[in-house]
Amino acid sequence: MSPFATGDSVRYPHTANLTEVYDVRADGIEQSFVLQERPAGGGDLLVRGQIRTALPLHHEGADGVRWVLPSGGGVSFGAVTGIDANGKTATGSLRMCGSELELALPAAFVDAAAYPLVLDPLIGAVIPIGDVAGQPDRVPSVAYDEGTNRFLVAWSVQYAASSWEVRGQIVSGGGVLQ
């Protein structure tokens, strides 16, 4: 089956029961695996994918996995969540197994879920605010927009002996970079 795009989504139907979905959002790309019915077998629901990157693994934990350059930029996979057709949710887990990223939902949730069932992590960019290694950041400023619950963080950074630039980043009220 061929992938297809609608709006800000791309869908990859793997089987009649399984579709992989990528939704573009302001804070990253939501990767979802949608199961139309309970998979055969028992135990935790596992989805594994091969990760090929030259970025070093920086963090692996319940809140996600991040590959980050020494300069601070990189890629992250956020925490795994399961959502059933009735809106019930469960926290999943993720871990690296060699070069494979394993996403998991607990068997008890998978067995009791109303289908379709969605497993989704958020894929995002790791963008440092300030923090250019070995260089001073100066004159930080923050502005808040109550209507959108977002902050604009701006600062000056020296990136060479006589070179400075102003940098900025929008951050949601929940701390999500945009």
Side-chain angles (χ1 to χ4, degrees):
M1 293 183 248
S2 298
F4 61 94
T6 52
D8 292 334
S9 286
V10 177
R11 297 180 173 283
Y12 293 83
H14 294 290
T15 67
N17 187 40
L18 175 64
T19 302
E20 186 174 358
V21 181
Y22 293 87
D23 292 308
V24 177
R25 301 177 4 175
D27 55 343
I29 296 174
E30 188 79 34
Q31 179 186 37
S32 301
F33 297 91
V34 181
L35 290 106
Q36 295 302 318
E37 22 182 87
R38 187 182 176 286
D44 291 351
L45 173 64
L46 303 178
V47 174
R48 290 188 182 109
Q50 187 77 32
I51 301 293
R52 293 187 181 143
T53 180
L55 297 171
L57 181 62
H58 177 75
H59 173 78
E60 178 181 359
D63 61 336
V65 177
R66 290 188 294 279
W67 295 268
V68 180
L69 292 169
S71 63
V75 177
S76 68
F77 273 76
V80 173
T81 302
I83 308 162
D84 81 358
N86 294 329
K88 292 182 182 175
T89 62
T91 301
S93 63
L94 68 168
R95 67 183 181 128
M96 289 300 301
C97 302
S99 63
E100 287 188 336
L101 177 61
E102 180 180 274
L103 312 173
L105 287 177
F109 178 73
V110 173
D111 292 343
Y115 285 80
L117 171 68
V118 177
L119 177 152
D120 72 356
L122 178 66
I123 303 170
V126 175
I127 302 170
I129 293 182
D131 211 19
V132 173
Q135 301 299 330
D137 297 329
R138 304 266 195 258
V139 196
S141 295
V142 177
Y144 178 68
D145 179 4
E146 186 175 1
T148 61
N149 190 29
R150 296 188 310 174
F151 297 87
L152 171 61
V153 181
W155 65 98
S156 297
V157 64
Q158 183 178 11
Y159 61 91
S162 61
S163 299
W164 290 78
E165 66 182 23
V166 175
R167 295 188 180 175
Q169 180 66 55
I170 294 175
V171 182
S172 76
V176 176
L177 297 176
Q178 300 182 348

